[in-house]
Amino acid sequence: MAKVGVTLEVGSDGVAVITMRNPPVNALAIPVLDGLQEKIGEAMRRNDVKAAVLIGQGGRFSGGFDINVFAKIHQTGNLNLLPNVSIDLVVNTIEDSKKPVVAAVEGLALGGGLELALACNARIATSRTQLGLPELSLGVIPGFGGTQRLPRLVGLPKAISMMLSSKPIMSEEGKSLGLIDAIVPSGELLKASCLWALEIAGRCKPWLRSLHRTDKLPPLSEGRKILNNAREQAKKTAKNLPQHQACLDVIEEGIIHGGYSGILREDKVFRDLVLSDTSKGLVHVFFAQRATSKVPNVTDSGLKPRIVKKVAVLGGGLMGSGIATALILGNVNVVLKEINNEYLLKGIKIIEANVQGLVSKGKLTTVKAEKALSMLKGVLDYSDFKDVDMVIEAVIENVSLKQSIFSELEKVCPLHCILATNTSSIDLNIVGAKTSSQDRIVGAHFFSPAHVMPLLEIVRTDRTSPQAILDLMTVGKVIKKVPVVVGNCVGFAVNRAFFPYAQGAHMLIHLGVDVFRVDQVITSFGFPIGPLQLADVAGYGVSMAVRKIFADAFPDRIFEGPLMELLIKSGRYGKNNGKGFYIYEKGSRPRPDPSILPIVEESRRLANIMPHGKPLSVSDQEILEMILFPVVNESCRVLDEGVVVQASDLDIASVLGMSFPSYRGGIIFWADMVGADHIYKSLKKWSELYGSFYKPSRFLEERASRGVPLSAPVSSSAASRSRL
C-alpha cells in the first residue's frame, strides 16, 4: 500500500515536482497537509529549485480535505484537531512564496484540493477534469481560501453558483472562465506544467496571485446587489441551512475589505460551522451512506458478485415501468412482461416518457436515450425468461397473485436466476411459500418514482443466500441506487418505521389542530411535503391499503380515524383526480383547499377524541414532536428486532426513502440530538392522555433510563434478522 504523504523530486530543469499521495483520491489528510508544508518550504529554500509544480498521484489531483477529521471533531468537540491550513500553508507557503508554483490538475480537484490549486500561480489541467467546491454539502464553507479566490478568478455570480450548489464544473468550462490557464493531454500534463512554471520564473508569463486580483470583481454596489439576490434565493432553497448565508457573508467581507480580511473571516466562520448541528448531520449522512456497503456475512464472505446482464420485470405499472427505466439507464437489458398488449404498450410508453423527460431536462443525451430504449423488450409470455439473471416482480399487492407468479417463475427461469419482489409490505416468506427456491427469493423494494428515488431496500429472509443479496446490491449500485439490506417483517425498515407518520398527523387533526398547519410545520422542519400532501400524492387507496396492513400487524398502536373514508365518499382521491387536502391544477402549485374543512369537522365529530370537546392548543414544536416521536418510537422497535444491520442504515434509509432532511442526520441521529429521555417522557405523557398510539417502546424506555444513545449498537444477544 502506498505511503500517505508528499514527495519532492527536483529535475535537471530546476523544477521541484511535489506529489500528493493518499489513494484513491489524494484526500488532504493531516499527514498530506504536513507534508505539503514541509516539501513546499524545502523547495523554496533550495538553491537548485527555480519553480515548483504541485500534482496528485494516480491521475487525480485531490478530492479535498479528509472528512474523517470532521467526524473526529464531532465525536470529541475538539476543534484543535483542525489544522491551520488557510493562512500558514495556502497563503504564506504557497501563494506568497518567492518562487512560482503551478498546479498540474488531472481527474478532479474538489474542495480543499481546488483551493490549493487556486492559490498556485497557474493551473494546467487535462480534459474532463472535475473542479468544484462542495463544502456546503457538508454543512461548512470552503476553509482554505476558496470563498475569496474563486470570485477573483471566475467572477462573482459564477463563484456563488458553484459554492452554493456544490456542483462541479469541467476543466473545459474552467478554461473559458479563467479558472484554468491551459488544457493539455494527460501524457503531457507534467511536462507542460513544469515549462509553464519556468516561464513564470523567467518572467515570460505573468506571476499572478489570485487573492490580489480584482479585475473580475464587480463594483461594490453591483457586488452587493448580486449577493443580496443570492441571499434571497438561498432563503427559499436552503432555509434551514446556515452555511449558505454564512458563505455569502464571508464573500462580501472580502469584496468590501480585501481578500486577506476575507480569508481571516472565512477561517473563523469555517471553524464555527464545523461544530454546527447541520455539519454534524450532513457528515453523519455522508458516512452512513458509505457504511451501507458493508453487510456482515455477505460483503466480507469472500463471495464475488455475478454479472447481471438481463433482468425481467413483471408488471408495467408506475413501479414496474420506473424499475425498468432505472435498469436500462444502467445499461442492463430488460424484458418487460404484462398480461395483455394494452397494458404492455402503456408500460412501454411510460418508460419512453421517463427517458425523454431526462433528455428534455438536459440530464441525458439523445444518443444515450436511444441506446437505453434499445435495451428494452416487451413480452406477453415467459419465453424470454429462459436466460434472465434476475426477475423483479412489481404487480399489485395481492398475496395469491404473487404466490402464483413465483411458482411459475421457478419453473421458467434458470437455476441461478434471482427471484425478487418489489412488495412494500407483504412478508417474503408468504410470497415464496409455494416455491422450493427459498434461497433465491429476495425483496427489491424501490421507492416511487423508481427511476428517480435513490433508495433500494434489499429485504432478506432467513433463507435468502448471501450470493443473492450481494448480486442485488451490485445491481443497485450499477443503476445508481443506494442499497440498504434489511430484515423481513411487515413494512420492512422504512415503511415500518414511518407508518405512525401519517397517523400522527391524523391524530392531531382529530384533536382539533388545523389541517394545513400540520403540513406547514413538517415542511418548515425540512421535509419537501407534509404527511397530508404526501397522502394526496400517493393516493388514498394506497394509504388505506397500507393502513389496513399495519392495523392487522400492530393493532395495539394504530390510530384509525374516519377521515380517509369521508374524503373518498365525497369524491376526493388526492392528486389522481386533482382534489384532496389540496387542489391540483396543471401548471400551478398545489394549494390548500378550504372546502375540505366541513369534511374534517365531520370526521372530528365521529372520532370524538378532542379533550372536553375543545380543540387542542399546541405549539409548532409540539406538533412536530407529536408526529415524529411516534416514528422514533417505531424505529426503536426496528432496531430492537434487528431489522437493520446498524442504526445508521435506518438514518440513510429515512433520508433517501422518506426525504427526512439530510442536514438533520436521519431519524435516529436526530432523535439522539433531541435526547431519548425527552422523547420517552413526552410519549408517556401523551399515551396517558390520548391512548396507546403513543405508548413508548421497551427499547426506548431502557435507553432513556440508562442514558444510552438510541444509535448505540444493540446487544449481541438480540435477534438480528439482517445479519447473516
Side-chain angles (χ1 to χ4, degrees):
M1 184 176 176
K3 186 179 178 183
V4 174
V6 178
T7 60
L8 182 150
E9 292 181 16
V10 181
S12 58
D13 57 0
V15 177
V17 177
I18 298 164
T19 306
M20 298 177 282
R21 301 170 182 264
N22 187 9
V25 296
N26 298 318
L28 299 175
I30 302 299
V32 176
L33 292 169
D34 290 344
L36 285 170
Q37 186 80 57
E38 177 192 343
K39 298 301 183 184
I40 296 173
E42 179 186 334
M44 297 305 124
R45 292 190 300 270
R46 284 176 58 162
N47 293 328
D48 60 337
V49 172
K50 299 175 185 176
V53 166
L54 183 60
I55 195 167
Q57 187 186 44
R60 291 181 175 91
F61 187 74
S62 173
F65 185 59
D66 184 2
I67 301 171
N68 288 292
V69 177
F70 288 156
K72 288 175 185 172
I73 292 169
H74 295 160
Q75 289 163 8
T76 62
N78 182 10
L79 261 179
N80 291 326
L81 295 171
L82 206 59
N84 191 349
V85 176
S86 185
I87 296 165
D88 290 354
L89 172 63
V90 182
V91 173
N92 296 342
T93 304
I94 298 177
E95 192 163 48
D96 288 348
S97 63
K98 294 187 170 88
K99 299 169 186 176
V101 182
V102 170
V105 184
E106 185 171 13
L108 50 79
L110 301 174
L114 180 59
E115 290 178 281
L116 289 181
L118 294 176
C120 295
N121 304 113
R123 288 149 294 283
I124 313 302
T126 58
S127 63
R128 303 296 294 167
T129 292
Q130 290 186 70
L131 311 167
L133 296 178
E135 286 90 344
L136 272 73
S137 66
L138 292 172
V140 296
I141 62 171
F144 297 173
T147 63
Q148 305 306 307
R149 293 186 182 88
L150 190 63
R152 286 165 169 77
L153 287 172
V154 305
L156 184 58
K158 184 63 180 179
I160 290 172
S161 171
M162 286 178 66
M163 284 185 269
L164 265 59
S165 72
S166 292
K167 291 179 181 177
I169 62 170
M170 291 298 177
S171 48
E172 287 77 6
E173 185 180 355
K175 172 74 166 59
S176 68
L177 292 167
L179 177 57
I180 297 297
D181 294 283
I183 295 177
V184 299
S186 177
E188 298 176 20
L189 177 62
L190 184 57
K191 181 182 176 182
S193 300
C194 290
L195 181 60
W196 200 288
L198 287 171
E199 289 181 332
I200 295 175
R203 306 294 178 177
C204 297
K205 281 192 176 1
W207 192 325
L208 300 173
R209 291 181 171 90
S210 305
L211 195 61
H212 300 182
R213 290 180 60 177
T214 58
D215 54 296
K216 290 197 176 180
L217 293 180
L220 189 56
S221 60
E222 185 184 337
R224 279 182 161 150
K225 184 178 179 182
I226 292 168
L227 286 161
N228 286 335
N229 288 338
R231 285 190 180 96
E232 289 305 310
Q233 185 63 26
K235 284 177 185 175
K236 298 173 186 174
T237 59
K239 58 186 175 184
N240 293 334
L241 302 176
Q243 68 269 32
H244 289 67
Q245 299 296 337
C247 184
L248 294 167
D249 290 346
V250 169
I251 294 170
E252 185 171 36
E253 174 77 19
I255 290 174
I256 295 173
H257 299 292
Y260 193 72
S261 178
I263 290 281
L264 295 175
R265 177 79 180 275
E266 177 196 85
D267 187 60
K268 180 186 181 305
V269 172
F270 172 73
R271 289 171 179 272
D272 290 344
L273 286 170
V274 167
L275 284 176
S276 68
D277 287 348
T278 302
S279 178
K280 290 174 183 175
L282 288 168
V283 169
H284 173 73
V285 166
F286 176 88
F287 285 110
Q289 181 165 333
R290 279 145 188 80
T292 61
S293 63
K294 295 178 181 178
V295 180
N297 302 318
V298 175
T299 56
D300 58 0
S301 61
L303 292 170
K304 301 290 183 187
R306 297 173 298 190
I307 297 173
V308 175
K309 294 181 179 178
K310 186 176 179 181
V311 176
V313 177
L314 267 74
L318 285 175
M319 283 307 297
S321 58
I323 293 167
T325 304
L327 288 164
I328 60 174
L329 290 172
N331 211 31
V332 179
N333 287 294
V334 171
V335 175
L336 180 69
K337 181 185 179 299
E338 257 297 357
I339 57 172
N340 61 46
N341 204 49
E342 180 189 347
Y343 287 175
L344 181 61
L345 290 174
K346 188 177 179 182
I348 290 172
K349 281 185 178 179
I350 294 172
I351 294 166
E352 289 172 345
N354 290 341
V355 172
Q356 191 54 48
L358 294 172
V359 173
S360 61
K361 291 174 183 174
K363 295 181 178 180
L364 194 69
T365 65
T366 304
V367 173
K368 288 183 178 178
E370 289 172 354
K371 185 188 176 187
L373 289 171
S374 73
M375 305 187 79
L376 174 68
K377 181 180 182 181
V379 300
L380 297 174
D381 57 37
Y382 289 116
S383 57
D384 282 274
F385 282 50
K386 59 183 179 296
D387 60 347
V388 296
D389 303 304
M390 182 182 295
V391 177
I392 301 175
E393 167 272 308
V395 303
I396 59 173
E397 296 285 70
N398 180 294
V399 171
S400 61
L401 175 61
K402 289 179 187 288
Q403 287 178 336
S404 172
I405 286 171
F406 273 79
S407 293
E408 292 172 348
L409 290 174
E410 191 176 35
K411 296 170 189 172
V412 298
C413 297
L415 292 174
H416 74 276
C417 178
I418 296 166
L419 307 177
T421 173
N422 181 55
T423 181
S424 60
S425 54
I426 301 172
D427 186 319
L428 266 65
N429 288 320
I430 297 173
V431 171
K434 296 182 179 180
T435 71
S436 58
S437 304
Q438 300 288 332
D439 60 325
R440 293 193 278 154
I441 293 178
V442 64
H445 181 211
F446 291 79
F447 289 74
S448 185
H451 64 294
V452 175
M453 293 294 281
L455 181 64
L456 171 59
E457 256 187 331
I458 297 177
V459 187
R460 71 169 199 87
T461 71
D462 295 335
R463 287 173 281 187
T464 307
S465 73
Q467 185 70 59
I469 296 168
L470 183 64
D471 291 348
L472 186 50
M473 287 178 70
T474 305
V475 170
K477 290 173 184 175
V478 165
I479 63 174
K480 298 188 169 112
K481 303 298 179 189
V482 178
V484 177
V485 177
V486 303
N488 180 34
C489 67
V490 173
F492 315 131
V494 177
N495 287 349
R496 164 79 183 276
F498 275 83
F499 89 80
Y501 178 62
Q503 293 183 35
H506 279 259
M507 172 73 84
L508 284 168
I509 290 169
H510 287 90
L511 286 170
V513 177
D514 177 71
V515 172
F516 303 111
R517 186 180 171 203
V518 168
D519 271 7
Q520 188 178 18
V521 167
I522 293 298
T523 53
S524 294
F525 178 76
F527 281 88
I529 58 177
L532 305 177
Q533 191 178 347
L534 181 62
D536 278 358
V537 172
Y540 299 160
V542 171
S543 298
M544 289 184 66
V546 170
R547 187 179 72 180
K548 184 180 185 310
I549 289 167
F550 286 109
D552 291 343
F554 311 115
D556 58 322
R557 51 184 188 270
I558 290 287
F559 171 71
E560 293 196 84
L563 184 54
M564 281 297 186
E565 288 87 345
L566 292 174
L567 290 171
I568 292 170
K569 190 178 177 182
S570 69
R572 293 173 185 266
Y573 299 99
K575 191 177 180 181
N576 286 338
N577 72 339
K579 293 194 300 181
F581 291 99
Y582 296 79
I583 296 171
Y584 299 85
E585 292 175 344
K586 196 170 183 180
S588 62
R589 301 181 72 174
R591 64 182 191 275
D593 185 359
S595 69
I596 202 172
L597 298 181
I599 303 170
V600 172
E601 285 302 323
E602 173 64 9
S603 190
R604 285 172 179 159
R605 186 187 66 78
L606 292 170
N608 193 28
I609 64 167
M610 280 195 284
H612 311 295
K614 294 181 180 178
L616 188 67
S617 177
V618 284
S619 66
D620 286 354
Q621 184 63 29
E622 286 172 311
I623 290 173
L624 179 73
E625 293 178 352
M626 289 181 81
I627 291 174
L628 290 184
F629 284 4
V631 176
V632 173
N633 198 28
E634 197 62 35
S635 298
C636 286
R637 295 185 179 101
V638 168
L639 294 175
D640 193 27
E641 294 171 18
V643 176
V644 290
V645 173
Q646 56 214 345
S648 63
D649 284 356
L650 196 49
D651 283 330
I652 198 68
S654 69
V655 169
L656 300 181
M658 283 299 296
S659 299
F660 190 92
S662 58
Y663 54 85
R664 300 194 189 274
I667 188 67
I668 299 297
F669 184 88
W670 174 75
D672 276 339
M673 297 282 276
V674 172
D677 187 59
H678 173 60
I679 296 170
Y680 168 72
K681 286 176 179 174
S682 299
L683 287 168
K684 193 170 188 328
K685 177 183 73 176
W686 298 331
S687 67
E688 291 165 358
L689 290 170
Y690 311 119
S692 62
F693 173 72
Y694 291 108
K695 185 181 178 182
S697 65
R698 178 182 59 83
F699 182 92
L700 175 60
E701 183 176 5
E702 286 178 358
R703 292 286 167 111
S705 64
R706 291 163 49 208
V708 177
L710 299 178
S711 57
V714 177
S715 64
S716 58
S717 60
S720 181
R721 280 178 279 177
S722 52
R723 295 181 189 273
L724 297 179

